[in-house]
Amino acid sequence: MVDRVKFQLDDKDVPTTWYNLAADLPGAPLAPALSAATGAPLGRDELAALMPEPLIDQEIGTEREFEIPEPVRQIYAMWRPAPLFRARRLERALNTPARIYYKYEGVSPAGSHKPNTGIAQAFYNKEAGKTGLVTETGAGQWGSATALSAAFFGMTAKVFMVRVSFEQKPYRKSLMETYGAVCTPSPSIETAAGRAILAADPKSPGSLGIATSEALETAAGDPSLGYVLGSAANHVLAHQTVIGQEALRQMELADDYPDIVIGAAGGGSNLAGLAFPFLGAQLRGGPDVRIIAVEPASCPTLTRGRIAYDYADTGRVGPLFRMHTLGHSFVPPAMHAGGLRAHGIGPLISRTVEDKLIEPVAVAQTRCFEAGVQFARTEGILPAPESTHAIRVAIDEAVRCREEGRSQAILFGLSGHGHFDLVAYEKYFAGSLEDDVLDEAVLAAADASIPAL
Amino acid sequence: MVDRVKFQLDDKDVPTTWYNLAADLPGAPLAPALSAATGAPLGRDELAALMPEPLIDQEIGTEREFEIPEPVRQIYAMWRPAPLFRARRLERALNTPARIYYKYEGVSPAGSHKPNTGIAQAFYNKEAGKTGLVTETGAGQWGSATALSAAFFGMTAKVFMVRVSFEQKPYRKSLMETYGAVCTPSPSIETAAGRAILAADPKSPGSLGIATSEALETAAGDPSLGYVLGSAANHVLAHQTVIGQEALRQMELADDYPDIVIGAAGGGSNLAGLAFPFLGAQLRGGPDVRIIAVEPASCPTLTRGRIAYDYADTGRVGPLFRMHTLGHSFVPPAMHAGGLRAHGIGPLISRTVEDKLIEPVAVAQTRCFEAGVQFARTEGILPAPESTHAIRVAIDEAVRCREEGRSQAILFGLSGHGHFDLVAYEKYFAGSLEDDVLDEAVLAAADASIPAL
């Protein structure tokens, strides 16, 4: 082979530990989550209502590494190590001296990086005696991962899916059902939270906040069910670091090292998964790497939000986290990267942005689809709308390299495929995809929902 | 890793040649195709109207190996070698002593094995000076592969898609468009063939035979366009042998050898791709392997058809092939494994069935979906409806092994994923998927369309 394009590791190279950035954070430790009930730092007791002991350890621990249980590694090995590609065809199309790499998580059976944590959470819940999982999902990536993970451990799965997505993406529901899960549009009549919303607005399109309330209520009412969550939390971010650990070794195989690492960021687990192992290496004296978090311009949590304690859920049930937030009442405009529609972001991502270790940038949706199409036509893979955000910035950086005559190495996260998102591509080609302009009054009103502590 | 589940080769292991079973056929050489115009064996001149010189060599040649051009290998390496998996979770669910392996072609960007030949045909057409490709597609797997292949070589692509599938699977069209292709429902007003059909029946649902006539007419009318085809032809079957060549090496890595090789068969390229390298090894003195061709009960070409010269297309434009055929007028019932709705099969497959080197079996659609769901819930991958036919028989054989207390090695071809086929799974779960019972009168009428030569 003249031009090597694929850097593949073996089964035995599936990481044995998850990496915890908290161990290498410079300065003060990460600010703790606060109890919604008491306003005091969240204790193990309160966390125990939400997750099994080992996940609590991973949520609040400061060890650098958490051992991956063998049954989890065994399932990871069905598709991991995920491939790292050199985008030579895209490089040629851009006529850039930059070396572009991407780590592809769409090879997981659910089509995204989400099973990296789904499998882990299912395992620990099963070990803790739970027989079923319950969760919420927006666009459906996380719901699919939960359904898959439950199937692998012989557990039931119940997924509350935001009604507007449920109706726009019927095949996500079908995929979950094929894995044996029950997928219910939210708001539903199955919970008090759902019934209250429906009483006020029988045609409510739902929101992730509402679906979260329904999932939490369902889990609270049935001790056999474990609540699992798809992003933002420290333990979820740690689980995703298998991505970056593999990428570190694969860059070695490529005899290269990234100058720039790019990832799309909603809750932040995809970006953290790829970038934290590189950031950790830098913090321990390794090479400097410029890390870019890409968010949608219509949900600019990192670029327009402020750092404050706020609720992760609209219903103000859950704990408060110190994070970049637009305010928990913020409802982002409908857009096709449903996985990036979050008013807040994982505290660890927020902290690294605050510490200027990660650089945030916001991009408009149509420019992302433009990049996604160019990527599909050169590299062949149809990217998920979320992933096109990373592609957009990778292309922009590669063009900058061309203009500056610099040959930098750019690594971005291709978090998933877009096989269930073709309606969005269709709209893009039809010219009916719009870039929402955020109303300043809406942003101000949402900001006012951030509690004054 | 305790239980090895994935057998992965490296870039450098992408095969360097395509294997040609014709070189190892015992007895008489393969019967030649006949000209529809003269009834005489088809000469190079007539073939030259259909394909570039190197493809003619591969179509009629008897060399054992054809060298794969480096640019084709370079593109193969973007996703090849494709993984071979040990289905340990499925084995446990079946409680079988059988060792089940599957070779997964859904890792190609188009989601099936089809790009293995699409890339090759695009390359040779480009080398011959063509600037665009034209073809027909039923369910859309081949159309997607053609669109992808054209994009890789900077060529245009025009795909005539059977109208009923075009309307049932709008996302297949969107995928082709994302790759830059034009996808037109057939029959269309763009060709004389399409206009004639529409004049007789403005609501014609179309058929693969009609779409083929439209594609051939379009190619004949524009010398810049190359006609490409997705299955059945000798050169197409040869291109697919990269699958089986890799599988041979991967079974070595697994320190095992298949007793049984199973593949779904429509035109036959998927089955041939996996099985011919094993069959060739057997014919040259290697281990015996039982090869099973699985076809749908509602289109039982190998199990109910007879061996005769017949047209591959309904319009009787193309050459005649000696093959198992139900008659070129046969229109199979609507079913969800659109890639298996062919009245005839590739002559090389037909010959090996005639010689009892391959054993055909027909299975009903609902039992295939049942197997597909069991596979998805254990192995995680959602299979294409075509692939579920192979899974069904693999499971049946594994159950037989359990009943007989035998530990055989079973290898089947998982030709693609079912991400664009969830409407079929939905129908299966809703109980609205039916097994069509073929009307004997319909079979007899179709049989009567086979020309008497």
Side-chain angles (χ1 to χ4, degrees), chain A residues 161-233:
Chain A
M161 184 169 181
V162 176
R163 183 179 295 274
V164 59
S165 294
F166 182 90
E167 285 164 2
Q168 278 174 354
K169 303 191 176 190
Y171 298 135
R172 276 283 172 197
K173 182 205 67 163
S174 309
L175 178 61
M176 293 181 224
E177 286 178 353
T178 303
Y179 287 139
V182 175
C183 178
T184 304
S186 164
S188 78
I189 55 166
E190 297 181 15
T191 66
R195 287 190 295 271
I197 298 284
L198 288 172
D201 177 8
K203 295 192 169 175
S204 166
S207 75
L208 204 53
I210 296 167
T212 304
S213 300
E214 291 207 274
L216 285 169
E217 182 183 329
T218 303
D222 184 343
S224 75
L225 298 180
Y227 172 73
V228 291
L229 71 171
S231 192

Side-chain angles (χ1 to χ4, degrees), chain B residues 213-228:
Chain B
S213 300
E214 291 207 275
L216 284 168
E217 182 184 329
T218 303
D222 184 343
S224 75
L225 298 181
Y227 172 74
V228 290

Side-chain angles (χ1 to χ4, degrees), chain B residues 34-378:
Chain B
L34 304 182
S35 161
T38 67
L42 204 66
R44 291 190 74 95
D45 286 359
E46 282 169 290
L47 281 166
L50 290 173
M51 61 190 76
E53 286 294 327
L55 291 177
I56 298 176
D57 295 338
Q58 295 165 16
E59 182 62 24
I60 62 176
T62 53
E63 306 92 305
R64 182 168 290 136
E65 290 179 333
F66 304 117
E67 193 180 332
I68 304 178
E70 193 55 30
V72 173
R73 273 191 90 220
Q74 188 72 45
I75 292 176
Y76 278 174
M78 295 173 80
W79 67 89
R80 304 208 71 84
L84 182 136
F85 293 96
R86 169 96 183 256
R88 291 187 186 271
R89 297 178 53 86
L90 177 62
E91 289 171 19
R92 280 196 290 272
L94 297 172
N95 191 26
T96 178
R99 307 181 300 286
I100 308 176
Y101 299 88
Y102 55 98
K103 176 76 172 169
Y104 184 41
E105 290 291 316
V107 293
S108 89
S112 78
H113 63 295
K114 294 288 188 187
N116 294 332
T117 185
I119 301 298
Q121 293 184 60
F123 169 78
Y124 288 119
N125 273 284
K126 175 95 175 185
E127 289 280 296
K130 306 288 186 182
T131 58
L133 302 178
V134 59
T135 197
E136 67 284 339
T137 195
Q141 297 262 29
W142 171 241
S144 306
T146 300
L148 173 75
S149 304
F152 278 159
F153 288 99
M155 304 173 85
T156 65
K158 168 83 171 177
V159 179
F160 288 95
M161 185 169 181
V162 176
R163 183 179 295 273
V164 60
S165 293
F166 182 91
E167 285 164 2
Q168 278 174 352
K169 303 190 176 192
Y171 299 135
R172 275 284 172 196
K173 182 204 69 164
S174 308
L175 178 62
M176 294 182 222
E177 286 178 353
T178 303
Y179 287 140
V182 175
C183 178
T184 304
S186 166
S188 79
I189 56 166
E190 296 181 14
T191 67
R195 286 189 295 270
I197 299 284
L198 288 172
D201 177 9
K203 293 190 170 176
S204 167
S207 74
L208 205 53
I210 297 167
T212 304
S213 300
E214 291 207 275
L216 284 168
E217 182 184 329
T218 303
D222 184 343
S224 75
L225 298 181
Y227 172 74
V228 290
L229 72 171
S231 192
N234 299 335
H235 66 282
V236 174
L237 270 51
H239 297 159
Q240 293 294 353
T241 61
V242 290
I243 303 172
Q245 291 182 67
E246 291 172 5
L248 267 166
R249 299 197 51 184
Q250 288 165 312
M251 289 302 300
E252 264 179 57
L253 287 184
D255 199 19
D256 210 342
Y257 199 87
D259 298 291
I260 308 171
V261 172
I262 302 167
S269 74
N270 160 58
L271 170 69
L274 177 64
F276 280 5
F278 289 92
L279 178 55
Q282 173 187 321
L283 293 170
R284 296 191 305 275
D288 272 0
V289 62
R290 182 178 160 217
I291 300 173
I292 305 177
V294 191
E295 62 184 11
S298 57
C299 190
T301 308
L302 289 170
T303 52
R304 296 292 308 270
R306 61 185 164 97
I307 301 170
Y309 269 104
D310 195 9
Y311 298 93
D313 67 315
T314 319
R316 304 198 290 185
V317 175
L320 293 99
F321 298 96
R322 186 170 186 278
M323 59 183 177
H324 286 74
T325 176
L326 293 164
H328 62 266
S329 78
F330 181 73
V331 178
M335 79 178 106
H336 283 283
L340 305 182
R341 295 176 76 242
H343 71 272
I345 196 161
L348 266 173
I349 295 281
S350 194
R351 169 65 183 272
T352 50
V353 170
E354 187 178 8
D355 289 355
K356 304 201 185 302
L357 298 169
I358 291 185
E359 170 186 334
V361 61
V363 288
Q365 150 167 283
T366 51
R367 287 196 71 238
C368 294
F369 275 96
E370 181 194 33
V373 170
Q374 181 167 28
F375 183 79
R377 291 182 184 178
T378 49

Side-chain angles (χ1 to χ4, degrees), chain A residues 1 19 44 71 96 147 159 171 176 188 198 206 234 265 268 290 292-293 316 329 331 369 387 440:
Chain A
M1 208 57 57
Y19 170 64
R44 289 189 76 95
T96 178
V159 179
Y171 298 135
M176 293 181 224
S188 78
L198 288 172
N234 298 335
R290 185 179 157 216
I292 305 177
R316 305 199 287 188
S329 78
V331 178
F369 275 96
S387 310
E440 291 298 322

